[in-house]
Structure formats: structure tokens, C-alpha cells
Amino acid sequence: MVMNNYSDQQIGKDLFRFIKKRSKKNNIFKFAWLKNQILKISIQDKNLQTQLFRFVDVLPCLKIKDQRLDIFLQYLQEGKSFFYTPSLLASQTPVIREFMDWVINFSVKELAKTFICGSNIHEAKRSIQKLSLKNQKYTLDLLGELTLNEREAEKYFNDYKKLIKEIPLAQLSIKLSAIEPHLNLMNLDAQKNNLLKKLRELFRLAVSSQASINIDTEHYYWKDFYFSILKEILMEEEFRSWTGAGVVVQAYLKDSQKDLEDWIIWAKKRESPISIRLVKGAYWDYEYAKSKQQNWDCPVFTKKFQSDMNYEKLSEILLDNYKFVKPALASHNVRSLAHAINYALKKNIPKSAFEFQMLYGMLDELKDYFSQNGYILRIYLPYGDLVQGMSYLVRRLLENTANDSFLRQGFLDGSSEDLLLQDPGSLALDSSEKPVDKGFQNIANLDFSKSANHQKILDEIKNLNNEFKVPVKYPCLIGEQKIFGDKFFESVNPAKPSQVLGLVSYGSLQDCNKAVSVAKETYKKWSQYDFLKRADLLRNVAQEIEKNRYRLIALICLEAGKPWSEADGEVSEAVDFLNYYAEESLEIFSLNKLRSLPGEKNYNIYQSYGVSAIIPPWNFPFAILVGMTGAAIATGNTAVIKPSAQTSLIAFEFVKIFNKVLKTKGLDQFLGLVNLITGEGKLVGNYLVEHPDVKLIAFTGSNEVGMSIYQKASLSRPPKRVIAEMGGKNAVIIDQSADLDEAIPGLIYSAFGYAGQKCSAASRAIIHQNIYQEFLERLKQTLPEIILGDPALGQCYMGPVIDANAMIKINNYINIGKQEADLLIGDLAIPESGYFVSPTVFVNVAEDSKLAQEEIFGPVLVVFKANSFDHALSIANNSSFGLTGGLYSRSPNNIKQAIEQFTTGNLYINRPCTGAIVSRQAFGGLKNSSIGFKAGGPNYLLQFLQEKTITENTMRRGFAED
Ligand code: FDA
């Protein structure tokens, strides 16, 4: 056979010859005719392909026959498929409906069987026997990935243990996400201990049963964490000499070479080998999209040849180190395999020292090549329930049909062997990266999978705790002056109310007058200042905030009781607001959107109002404050900020940063641009609103206060401009096609993130009756596992509510609920000190009850059962608010209907209903929720301006200007 002076291409041709001999009529995909046709048609039509894969994904959830066919038709229609009309017509007759339903169900099951070796352990065992007759090894994968709670994870864990006990010398591939339900990304320490405990038990059993366990690698976010745990446990004395463990390195990751080299160094130290499986990686689409959404560096290579090249390089490193690790090369790419075969031949690496691995049902025609030529081949055998298997099936379908996939190019598109076997390195020559988009970019949130970020926040919390040891007095900031009041109030840490963070001045009415007068004076210069320079100032402030990111996170965490990631999100949002409004202001002031004609010139001039009162809430004490202030000053207004009393120190920090930037940029003349009056809302807030020199009010808070501001502003002559965000009673609908694995964590985050104190938080869940019981059961298992505690420690999912008043008010609602409805979840253990309220869920709630209608602003969720989608929408719309709404559904028709009929300012589909991002989700509501255009959107700034239109006749005795 092959000799070691062959090229990769020649070996590749040998492999192709083998494949051709085995394949009958080149039918590499052993699907029945129907399935094969569906796959081919879908490959030609990308849109149809997406819809078909979506249908496959949703199918196991559709337990009712009629629904299956209806949703299938909806997807066909979405795919604008030619098959839609005949199918629709045919589906009108009951007999044909019945038949079509059978065909659909049968086809998807058959498709699944191609990649899944059985639905139970007996079928899996039969597959293992068949492989052993062919001298092929196996690794068994129990289908199922994400688990939501400890009970679900325990089931997987017990199943793994059962497999080890039941199958002699069992070879397993397991996923850590199946045995560790990770709701909280912050809680790495606790999760580490939990995982170590479970893995020790499993590995102990594996050692005593001489079983092997390979830990599959999943998403990049968890990779370093998982690797560090595995390195730790496999170095423990008890497991140090065990050679049955294995890990996976994904060559599509840019840092995979380092991963591999680290594993090899580690294995040398350990002095007994583990198996290292080299794959390209199964989650490319996810990793790429996720990094774009988060604005993180993309962890995966973005060109296919880069992954191929890297795979070849890593194959060489792996094979070179066969004495320290057991190389396992997993691929279905003939070129990648040929390269590894050739390299091993050249380096005289014994065939027994490494193995090839392939997936069940993929490129079966090549599999015998390995056993016939003395190589070890191991087949990855997934088995289990079809429902759990769907995400696996969708990954395999994608892999077979993606444009760049070797299997698709080789066996469906019919690319030439020469092309398929070319050196991926040769493609590097004509690679060119796309130019970077220079427009507004959201800044990235912190990556909490990096422990360095945890440490920096902990350091800042320590610094602030030291600073706050002896609480200092905080003045009002007016122009260049610090004005201390006669009286002070305490700002406290809501998680530890005995910790006083600062003593804040009660601003007086004279202070208000002074602040307005300084702002008015500064307005004369600021309104005339070049708009380009105004935008520059905003960007400079944004940069300074970024520099102080960790300190600000720590402060928001201590004063507002926000968990780290929520506080981090606020800092990002504040920076985004400033950069975005800077950019938007340039457009407003430089573009003329009116039409001019020959002889007639038309244009708009935008003029600012003057002094604005900025009244932000305590629940987004930094982001909203910065956003509203930024909008005012970007448009040439000046500002007097009246922050919420509970979060005065955060406001103080912002004005301090702002004034520091003015000074360092030599702009001292504008020190009265942003002024801060702390104190009592009823006194100074109202006074500012009614002050004759305040022309514009930007407010975010309760509907009651918002409406009273609106009323007062309307009495002024001319009436003052009011922009107001005023809360919600937000509903999330979960229909019967929803993926509960996504919907439950999404709802929990929407309702209990920041203890339900976001105006966008979900407070009503509306569940279709067909999944109602299952939903309640899983929610009941999952919600009590979220961690409540002091946000400063960094591990908690949910912190305290803002103050004692809020706690009392929320508990009053809970007491009403206990009388008027049924408590599903509540009275959970809460920390003894601090303003904590138990996450609470009620069922059997009357639609018009207080609980269902009033904004509670706390961790209280009411759940309704809907008997149809129309019913669900009618419950959702039965509210005087209309801020955010959520929908979990995979029915195209329901999604369309919700888009048209859900009366909500922001509708979030198949994701949590909180967490709007500047420029992507402009934020603001309908009905009683808002007055004005949405924050972070293209129309927001216009509200801070008055529009003057100029029309000039430019005709002069027959001479017209163009
Ligand atoms: P092929 O050469 O067609 O490569 C396809 C791959 O290229 C994609 O999967 C992706 O990784 C990459 N790619 C696609 N588009 C790209 C682009 N634009 N830029 C850069 N790269 C791109 N996976 C995993 O993540 N964790 C695991 O634990 C395992 N375990 C496992 C075990 C076994 C035995 C096998 C055979 C496979 C796995 N896999 C896996 C799945 C594996 O990652 C997947 O099968 C391979 O990525 C497919 O690569 P091939 O070389 O077969 O095909």
C-alpha cells in the first residue's frame, strides 16, 4: 500500500478510490429517496434549508398531530417553497392530512437514525457488537446537552454511571454541560467544586471498571474553565496514573495550538498519557455569532482553509508527541485524514500509537479502509431519545450541507478530487480580510469566563470598602463649586444596610436656583460651541468611563445592589449612549433632509432648548443618567441632574468624571454644563420641574411621578418638553412550540435578573395549556436553585431590592398574592440581613387582580394558562402598560401574529425581554409606559431639539441657483 514518499494528495486519491469502490452509485448519504431529495433541494435553496432545519429542530416538541402538519406548512411557506401550495391543498382532506403527518414524522425519524445509532441502550449495544465484528472501536455518547437544574443533571449523571456499570470496559464520551446546570456564569468557584465532586465519583467508578471517559469540548466560553478542572482532577493522586481519560481540542479556535501545547506539557508532567482528540469543532456558527453579538474578539478562524491548515499543523504536533499523549484524529475530510496518515508514515509513528475517529453515519464508505490497513478506528456512537437528539441531528445536518463542508463539496456538489485535496496552505495566498466598519460600535461587555476580570472587580470592591470605612460627606456639584448642605442623608449598601457608603447633602431650593442659573449661563456658550467639538467631548467622557470600568462596576454593585454582570452591562450601556449620541448628533447637525428645488432652498435648523432637568431612576443609576445627560448636551442643552436618593454616589461619580474630562481638555469654561443636586425628590425634583428656566425634562421612573411631571410641564407657557420612560407590566408568552430549555432560563433571567427591578423585567408569564404542567414542573425545579446573596461577592444571580420601602411594598404584594392566588414558588431562604425578597411565583391569578395589573418592581412573577395563542395575546395585552414583551415560539405564524398584535414597545422573540443594547434595540414603550421616542435609537436626540425650517426664494430676475 502507501509508502512514506507519497504526497498528501496521492494518499487522498487512494482514500477516494476506496470510497468509490464502496459507494453504490455515489450515494454517499444513505437516505431514503425522499430524504435525499429533501436534502438536495434544500441545499439548492438556502432559505428553504433554514426552514427545514428549523422544522427538524421543533418537531420533537410538537406532540399533537395536527400541530405537526400545520407548523410544517408554516415553515414551507416561510421558505417560499414551491411545495407549499400543493401541500396546503392536499392537507385539507383528513385522510391526506393523516398521511402527510405520517410521512413527515417517518422521514425525520429515519433521518435521525442515520446519525443516531439507537434510542435505547440495547440498540446501542447492538451497534457496539457490529463494530467489534469489523474490528472497530467505539465511544458511546448519551444524547442530551444542556440541563436546567440539579434534578435533570442528576438523571444524566446516574445514566452515565449505569452505562459504566452495565457495559464491560465501557468507552464513553460525556458532556460536562449535561451534568452541571450552569445558570450563573459568575459562580465559577461553586461550580468548580460541584463538578469536581461529580467527576471524582464518575472517574472512580471508571477506574474500578476499567472504563474510558472522554470529555467532549463544547462552547468556547467554558473551555478554559473546563480544561482547568480536568487538569486539576487528573493530576490528583487517585487519578494520576489513569490512562482512560480523554479531552478534545478544537482546531477552529485561534488559541487551539496553545491549548494543545499546554496539554502536552501537562501530560509530560503527569507521566501517564491521556487521549487527545483533535476535531475542527462543531459550534462554528454559534461561536461566530456570539462573538459578534458581544463584540468580543472572534475566537474561531473565519475562513475554512484556516481551520483546515491549523488542523494539519496540530495533527503534526499531536503525532510528534505520541509518547506522552494518545493522539485521536477525528475528521471526515479526506485531505485532513490523508495529511495525518502521510505525516505518521513519514515520521515512522507506529500505527498502534494513534487512532482515527469518525461519527456514526458519516462517510461510512471510508471506515473499513482504516481497519483493513492496520489503523485503529473509533466510531462516535450517539444514542438516546429523539427529543434530546435533535440538537445533535441539526449539527450533523449543518455539517453535511454547509457551503464549506468537505462532505457537501465532495459528495453533493461534486467538486473535483484535485480541488478537494489541495493544500489548504495554498489558499492562504489569496486571503484578504474585510475592512473594518468604522461607524458606531458597541463596546464589549467583560468576558466573565476570564478570572482576571473577577479579580479586578474584587480589588475595586475592596478599595471602595476601605474608602467607605469612614463615610464622607458628598456635596452638590454646581459649576466649579462643591456645595455641602446643612443636612445629610445616608446612602447605604442594600445588601448590608449597616454599611453606610456616604453622607449625601440635602440640596436646598437655593441650590436648585444656583444650579439652574449656572447651567443657563453656561448654555450661552455651549449652544454656540461647534457641534463637532461637542461630540468629541462626549467621546472623551466615554473613554474616561471605560478607564474607570472596574471601579464603576464595584460602586454600582455596592450602592445599587447589582450583580457584577448587570453592573458591567450598565457601564457598557453608558459608554454606548455617549458614543452613539455623539455620532447621531453629527448626522442631525450636518445633514439636510429637506428637498430643495431650482430657485427654492429649504433647510432645517435644529436649536436646543436651554437648561434641562435630568431625573434618572435608581434601577439604572448610571446608564440612564449618562444616556439622558449625554443626549441633552450632545444637542447643545445644559443639564441639572437630580439623581435618585438611593444611588446618589453613582451620580456624583459621573459628574466627577465629566468635570475631570472638561479640565484635562482645557474646557473649564464649560464647568457648569452638568450640575448635580442631590436630595429629596419631592422637594428639589418638583422645584426643578417647575423652575421657569428649565425648558426640558428627561425623566425615567414610575408612571405616577412621570405623569405628574407631564402635567406640571404642560401648565408652563410655553409648555416644557417632556421625555419620559415610565415602567411596565411586561408579559412573556411561551407557546406550545417553544423550546423550554431556552424559554425557562430566559424567563427566569427576565423576571429575576436584578431582582425584577428593571422596568423591562417580565412580571407575567403566559403559558399554552399543552405545556403548562411541564413548564410549572421544570420552573419549580430550576428557580429555587438560583443563588441569592450579596452581589459584592460576585457569585449571586439575584441580589437585594433597593431599600426597606421597596422590600415592604413587594412583601405586601406577596401577601395579597397568597390570599388571592396560589403560591407556586416562594418563601425561599434569603440572607438574614439586607433588603432581600424571595423569588416568588403565583399561579391561578385573576387577570384583573392587583397582582396581574400593578407594577410591583420586584422578584414576583404571575403565571397564566392560555388555551390558545389568541387567548395568550389577549392576556398579554390586558395591561395599561406596553413597555416590553417576550415570545418564545417556533411557529412562524404565531411569531407573525405577535409582531402585529402584541401591544408592546419592544418585542423580544426567543430571548429574554430585558437587556436592550444601544443602536440595536432602541428602547421605549407604548401606552402608559413612555412619552417620546426611544432611548438608544435614531429618533431620540430629536426630542432634545426644536426644529426651525428655512425656505428661501433664491430666484433673482430669472437667475436660479441650482
Ligand atoms: P470539514 O473539513 O468539512 O470541516 C468542517 C468544519 O470546518 C466545521 O465543522 C468547522 O469546524 C470548520 N469551519 C466551517 N466553516 C468555517 C469557516 N468559515 N472558517 C473557519 N472554520 C470553519 N466537535 C466539538 O466541537 N467537540 C467535540 O467534542 C467533538 N467530538 C467529536 C468526536 C468525533 C469522533 C468526531 C468525528 C467529531 C467530533 N466533533 C466534535 C465534531 C467535529 O468538530 C466536526 O465533525 C468537524 O468539525 C467536522 O470537520 P471535518 O474535518 O470532518 O469536516
Side-chain angles (χ1 to χ4, degrees):
M1 255 294 313
V2 282
M3 287 164 17
N4 60 0
N5 59 355
Y6 270 113
S7 66
D8 294 349
Q9 279 81 356
Q10 283 166 312
I11 293 183
K13 291 213 166 185
D14 259 357
L15 300 185
F16 269 123
R17 261 193 296 281
F18 193 92
I19 293 169
K20 276 190 191 143
K21 256 193 250 159
R22 292 295 167 109
S23 56
K24 295 178 193 102
K25 295 188 220 147
N26 210 15
N27 180 15
I28 202 80
F29 297 98
K30 284 185 184 165
F31 303 147
W33 179 87
L34 177 67
K35 288 176 285 177
N36 213 1
Q37 293 314 306
I38 290 175
L39 221 77
K40 279 188 174 165
I41 291 165
S42 79
I43 280 173
Q44 284 153 15
D45 181 342
K46 187 76 192 149
N47 192 20
L48 181 60
Q49 181 197 42
T50 306
Q51 302 311 324
L52 285 176
F53 288 5
R54 285 187 171 175
F55 177 69
V56 169
D57 173 58
V58 71
L59 185 70
C61 296
L62 308 176
K63 297 184 179 98
I64 297 169
K65 253 191 205 168
D66 268 359
Q67 202 197 357
R68 241 179 348 230
L69 181 57
D70 288 342
I71 293 219
F72 179 70
L73 290 171
Q74 289 173 27
Y75 276 110
L76 277 189
Q77 190 186 20
E78 284 285 293
K80 300 190 178 52
S81 159
F82 155 79
F83 301 101
Y84 173 65
T85 314
S87 306
L88 179 66
L89 293 176
S91 71
Q92 306 303 319
T93 346
V95 181
I96 299 185
R97 273 186 82 84
E98 184 86 7
F99 174 69
M100 280 184 71
D101 178 68
W102 179 85
V103 170
I104 291 165
N105 212 16
F106 174 80
S107 307
V108 176
K109 279 196 174 144
E110 287 298 297
L111 197 60
K113 278 191 205 159
T114 321
F115 301 110
I116 296 171
C117 80
S119 58
N120 57 46
I121 183 68
H122 305 293
E123 289 175 5
K125 277 183 179 168
R126 264 204 298 280
S127 291
I128 294 173
Q129 276 162 5
K130 278 190 201 155
L131 289 181
S132 85
L133 292 177
K134 290 200 263 178
N135 208 12
Q136 290 173 1
K137 294 180 188 276
Y138 76 94
T139 177
L140 202 57
D141 164 51
L142 176 56
L143 287 169
E145 325 227 321
L146 202 79
T147 50
L148 295 190
N149 52 56
E150 285 294 347
R151 194 211 263 182
E152 290 174 13
E154 199 178 313
K155 184 187 165 303
Y156 273 99
F157 187 66
N158 289 335
D159 285 348
Y160 285 144
K161 286 201 299 189
K162 212 163 126 199
L163 281 177
I164 297 177
K165 285 180 192 154
E166 239 180 66
I167 304 177
L169 310 177
Q171 319 276 307
L172 303 187
S173 281
I174 70 166
K175 291 193 172 48
L176 294 186
S177 64
I179 58 173
E180 173 60 24
H182 37 66
L183 266 173
N184 184 1
L185 305 176
M186 297 296 120
N187 198 18
L188 293 181
D189 277 349
Q191 265 159 21
K192 182 178 165 183
N193 291 335
N194 206 13
L195 259 177
L196 280 173
K197 199 166 141 235
K198 287 179 184 173
L199 284 177
R200 277 191 201 108
E201 192 180 335
L202 207 61
F203 285 2
R204 215 164 273 151
L205 188 65
V207 172
S208 66
S209 319
Q210 291 178 293
S212 300
I213 298 185
N214 193 292
I215 314 294
D216 287 353
T217 299
E218 300 169 73
H219 294 152
Y220 179 69
Y221 193 84
W222 290 96
K223 183 203 58 158
D224 287 347
F225 175 63
Y226 285 164
F227 279 3
S228 76
I229 287 179
L230 290 171
K231 281 181 182 152
E232 185 174 326
I233 189 171
L234 290 171
M235 207 50 116
E236 288 176 2
E237 222 31 61
E238 189 180 0
F239 304 113
R240 193 165 173 157
S241 57
W242 179 44
T243 57
V247 295
V248 181
V249 171
Q250 295 160 316
Y252 65 10
L253 293 181
K254 291 174 185 164
D255 49 13
S256 53
Q257 184 170 342
K258 180 159 187 326
D259 287 339
L260 181 59
E261 287 168 349
D262 285 351
W263 273 115
I264 291 167
I265 293 169
W266 171 90
K268 286 179 182 169
K269 220 189 282 170
R270 186 178 186 247
E271 294 173 340
S272 46
I274 59 159
S275 161
I276 297 189
R277 178 195 295 158
L278 182 65
V279 299
K280 281 175 198 154
Y283 309 90
W284 188 88
D285 291 36
Y286 173 87
E287 301 295 2
Y288 181 78
K290 183 88 189 159
S291 66
K292 289 280 160 218
Q293 284 173 17
Q294 298 286 343
N295 206 7
W296 288 338
D297 286 343
C298 182
V300 291
F301 292 113
T302 50
K303 299 214 161 56
K304 168 70 163 58
F305 77 82
Q306 294 171 316
S307 295
D308 290 341
M309 249 169 81
N310 195 44
Y311 189 90
E312 293 191 3
K313 188 170 179 192
L314 300 196
S315 306
E316 294 176 9
I317 298 175
L318 197 52
L319 287 166
D320 284 340
N321 286 283
Y322 73 91
K323 288 188 180 139
F324 311 104
V325 293
K326 298 193 272 179
L329 299 139
S331 173
H332 311 99
N333 180 320
V334 175
R335 158 79 206 190
S336 305
L337 293 167
H339 180 80
I341 292 173
N342 198 18
Y343 190 76
L345 283 172
K346 279 190 181 137
K347 292 283 184 118
N348 283 326
I349 298 171
K351 287 180 178 172
S352 59
F354 63 99
E355 64 183 43
F356 290 99
Q357 296 192 348
M358 295 173 92
L359 298 175
Y360 177 84
M362 304 261 289
L363 199 52
D364 289 340
E365 285 68 13
L366 186 62
K367 284 174 177 155
D368 288 343
Y369 171 92
F370 295 98
S371 27
Q372 285 179 15
N373 288 283
Y375 291 104
I376 302 169
L377 177 69
R378 188 180 300 279
I379 307 297
Y380 190 92
L381 286 184
Y383 88 94
D385 187 273
L386 193 61
V387 178
Q388 266 97 35
M390 273 308 141
S391 53
Y392 179 84
L393 176 59
V394 170
R395 278 208 299 278
R396 297 290 79 84
L397 289 174
L398 271 174
E399 206 166 297
N400 278 297
T401 54
N403 286 344
D404 280 336
S405 140
F406 184 89
L407 290 180
R408 171 175 171 175
Q409 291 182 348
F411 305 106
L412 285 170
D413 291 351
S415 301
S416 75
E417 283 180 14
D418 288 337
L419 197 69
L420 293 165
L421 291 173
Q422 69 186 335
D423 178 357
S426 64
L427 296 169
L429 299 174
D430 52 276
S431 80
S432 52
E433 291 288 336
K434 274 194 191 144
V436 185
D437 182 3
K438 286 220 181 87
F440 165 80
Q441 298 279 330
N442 296 106
I443 65 153
N445 285 335
L446 287 184
D447 178 351
F448 282 105
S449 70
K450 308 276 178 273
S451 55
N453 284 330
H454 293 218
Q455 196 49 51
K456 284 183 196 160
I457 298 175
L458 283 171
D459 290 347
E460 285 297 345
I461 286 180
K462 201 167 150 198
N463 291 343
L464 282 179
N465 278 334
N466 281 336
E467 254 179 57
F468 295 145
K469 252 186 196 141
V470 182
V472 297
K473 291 181 173 166
Y474 285 80
C476 293
L477 297 172
I478 301 175
E480 289 186 75
Q481 283 186 296
K482 292 178 180 171
I483 300 186
F484 290 89
D486 299 333
K487 285 192 294 172
F488 297 87
F489 61 92
E490 292 179 344
S491 173
V492 303
N493 174 351
K496 272 194 250 162
S498 58
Q499 185 187 20
V500 177
L501 308 175
L503 300 170
V504 185
S505 293
Y506 275 111
S508 65
L509 299 187
Q510 289 94 306
D511 297 335
C512 289
N513 285 336
K514 182 148 196 205
V516 173
S517 131
V518 168
K520 192 176 170 188
E521 199 52 35
T522 315
Y523 174 71
K524 289 181 192 155
K525 295 170 268 174
W526 183 245
S527 56
Q528 300 308 312
Y529 197 54
D530 181 0
F531 66 86
L532 292 168
K533 291 186 182 157
R534 289 201 298 242
D536 279 346
L537 175 65
L538 255 68
R539 292 196 176 109
N540 291 330
V541 175
Q543 279 166 9
E544 190 60 27
I545 290 174
E546 272 202 85
K547 276 192 217 154
N548 287 282
R549 177 185 278 273
Y550 295 97
R551 179 182 163 83
L552 286 163
I553 292 172
L555 181 59
I556 295 168
C557 175
L558 288 177
E559 197 182 24
K562 281 205 172 182
W564 291 1
S565 61
E566 305 282 348
D568 174 56
E570 264 216 66
V571 179
S572 299
E573 194 178 3
V575 171
D576 282 351
F577 273 136
L578 292 174
N579 287 329
Y580 180 68
Y581 292 150
E583 182 159 302
E584 287 291 301
S585 70
L586 300 191
E587 187 159 317
I588 291 175
F589 291 116
S590 59
L591 284 188
N592 176 26
K593 292 188 177 166
L594 292 186
R595 236 157 47 91
S596 290
L597 296 172
E600 181 189 282
K601 191 170 166 187
N602 300 310
Y603 53 96
N604 265 354
I605 295 176
Y606 289 98
Q607 290 182 334
S608 45
Y609 279 89
V611 179
S612 60
I614 306 293
I615 309 179
W618 51 259
N619 66 340
F620 282 88
F622 194 66
I624 294 184
L625 179 150
V626 174
M628 296 196 303
T629 311
I633 60 177
T635 43
N637 301 285
T638 56
V640 178
I641 302 173
K642 158 64 193 80
S644 258
Q646 295 92 330
T647 50
S648 302
L649 270 51
I650 296 168
F652 185 87
E653 195 72 12
F654 169 67
V655 181
K656 212 174 85 184
I657 289 175
F658 191 90
N659 286 346
K660 181 181 163 198
V661 174
L662 284 177
K663 282 184 186 158
T664 49
K665 296 287 166 195
L667 297 172
D668 299 48
Q669 56 166 329
F670 295 125
L671 275 168
L673 193 48
V674 170
N675 306 278
L676 179 74
I677 298 285
T678 48
E680 217 180 319
K682 279 199 183 117
L683 184 72
V684 286
N686 278 343
Y687 189 73
L688 281 175
V689 165
E690 288 178 288
H691 198 292
D693 285 336
V694 168
K695 305 291 179 195
L696 177 155
I697 301 142
F699 165 83
T700 302
S702 72
N703 180 264
E704 191 193 342
V705 177
M707 291 317 293
S708 91
I709 290 177
Y710 197 41
Q711 202 171 21
K712 285 177 190 143
S714 71
L715 296 176
S716 157
R717 291 293 172 269
K720 299 179 189 206
R721 166 76 87 176
V722 176
I723 302 141
E725 290 295 343
M726 300 175 295
K729 185 75 188 172
N730 309 306
V732 172
I733 298 176
I734 302 181
D735 83 3
Q736 54 186 336
S737 68
D739 179 353
L740 288 183
D741 284 353
E742 261 178 32
I744 291 175
L747 176 66
I748 289 177
Y749 180 68
S750 305
F752 302 101
Y754 192 39
Q757 299 175 104
K758 300 177 191 175
C759 29
S760 54
S763 52
R764 297 179 296 146
I766 304 160
I767 318 296
H768 192 278
Q769 59 183 5
N770 289 355
I771 51 161
Y772 185 73
Q773 279 314 328
E774 184 189 352
F775 166 84
L776 292 187
E777 193 50 41
R778 293 187 76 188
L779 185 70
K780 233 162 108 178
Q781 287 301 324
T782 310
L783 179 60
E785 287 175 16
I786 68 172
I787 297 172
L788 260 74
D790 180 355
L793 304 177
Q795 295 148 354
C796 77
Y797 187 94
M798 198 183 110
V801 298
I802 192 69
D803 60 14
N805 281 343
M807 188 173 73
I808 293 166
K809 187 181 144 209
I810 299 164
N811 281 331
N812 283 344
Y813 274 109
I814 292 176
N815 288 334
I816 294 174
K818 283 179 179 170
Q819 282 150 26
E820 293 183 351
D822 292 334
L823 184 72
L824 181 79
I825 302 164
D827 298 328
L828 303 178
I830 51 172
E832 274 172 18
S833 71
Y835 304 128
F836 288 91
V837 175
S838 162
T840 303
V841 181
F842 288 105
V843 291
N844 298 327
V845 182
E847 249 189 78
D848 290 322
S849 65
K850 275 175 170 243
L851 219 52
Q853 291 296 327
E854 293 180 11
E855 194 179 27
I856 300 175
F857 232 62
V860 180
L861 178 73
V862 295
V863 181
F864 294 99
K865 178 158 63 169
N867 51 33
S868 66
F869 194 67
D870 284 339
H871 184 208
L873 274 172
S874 96
I875 299 173
N877 289 338
N878 180 7
S879 167
S880 62
F881 292 104
L883 188 53
T884 70
L887 169 65
Y888 283 91
S889 168
R890 285 178 290 176
S891 152
N893 282 4
N894 288 357
I895 291 175
K896 254 187 237 147
Q897 193 180 344
I899 291 170
E900 283 162 18
Q901 295 174 10
F902 206 148
T903 46
T904 178
N906 285 66
L907 175 61
Y908 293 93
I909 301 167
N910 291 322
R911 52 150 285 170
C913 69
T914 62
I917 292 179
V918 172
S919 90
R920 280 161 59 191
Q921 292 97 29
F923 184 77
L926 310 177
K927 302 197 265 189
N928 275 334
S929 291
S930 299
I931 299 168
F933 285 115
K934 286 161 175 268
N939 304 315
Y940 190 67
L941 286 191
L942 290 173
Q943 312 170 101
F944 292 75
L945 291 164
Q946 310 178 73
E947 212 172 5
K948 201 166 152 187
T949 301
I950 314 294
T951 297
E952 185 183 345
N953 174 4
T954 55
M955 191 84 94
R956 298 285 185 278
R957 294 190 185 279
F959 160 67
E961 196 184 27
D962 263 352

